[in-house]
Amino acid sequence: AQKITQTQPGMFVQEKEAVTLDCTYDTSDPSYGLFWYKQPSSGEMIFLIYQGSYDQQNATEGRYSLNFQKARKSANLVISASQLGDSAMYFCAMIPLTGGGADGLTFGKGTHLIIQP
Amino acid sequence: NAGVTQTPKFQVLKTGQSMTLQCAQDMNHNSMYWYRQDPGMGLRLIYYSASEGTTDKGEVPNGYNVSRLNKREFSLRLESAAPSQTSVYFCASSGQPGEFSYEQYFGPGTRLTVT
């Protein structure tokens, strides 16, 4: 079984500052994938970034980067130069890859990020 | 491409009524999923279908049934709705043949209220 913990229920950040959203995980699978999704107030789930457990480098996608520390079992999301449109719920999730990656995602409870002007 | 579509967008049921939530994807994905999202709980997996012809229980399957009708369509049925099933339901899909991508693409969600 997998478990995702997001310890920040809510965060307020000034526009243009960098933001780090925390995520720790627990799994017994030797191979797994880690995701971050954004959910704006409109409700849709938007994929942001993916990191495989065997990837040597931290994943980056534009202003998003994933700070992956395997030994600490953490997968923090870093948003550089935050914008007002970044205000949303952010979910960390993981999937075991030993079964081919077709299992469902396990999600954390989310962090509500509010960017202030 | 429409991606993942869900019908209906909103539904109100009385306790004991039944209904089926429909989901379809046009991305030729092998795997499809149903999740529910309750306030403060994140998303939880109800059922999934790793490939056409197979279905498996997730974390919270009680009170639900699913059907993988074909590669495109995956439906979720509530046989006798209960107020505890009031939630937002998301369908997702992943796994295009020949690609090593585990990203799941989500539908817009169905907001279900059971009174």
Side-chain angles (χ1 to χ4, degrees), chain B residues 12-32:
Chain B
V12 179
L13 291 178
K14 293 188 189 308
T15 297
Q17 288 184 320
S18 62
M19 79 160 296
T20 299
L21 280 64
Q22 306 286 355
C23 175
Q25 52 92 9
D26 62 1
M27 295 174 282
N28 197 32
H29 283 164
N30 289 323
S31 305
M32 298 186 72

Side-chain angles (χ1 to χ4, degrees), chain A residues 35 37 39 43 45 47 50 91 95 97 100-105 107-109, chain B residues 31 33 35 37 40-43 45 48 50 90 94 102-106 108:
Chain A
F35 300 79
Y37 280 85
Q39 187 177 43
M45 296 292 289
F47 166 77
Y50 168 81
F91 293 96
I95 191 168
L97 298 182
D103 294 355
L105 293 168
F107 283 85
K109 293 186 178 182
Chain B
S31 305
Y33 310 85
Y35 296 89
Q37 184 178 25
M41 294 294 291
L43 279 76
L45 182 67
Y48 67 104
F90 287 97
S94 73
Y102 305 107
E103 175 189 347
Q104 292 189 12
Y105 294 78
F106 284 81

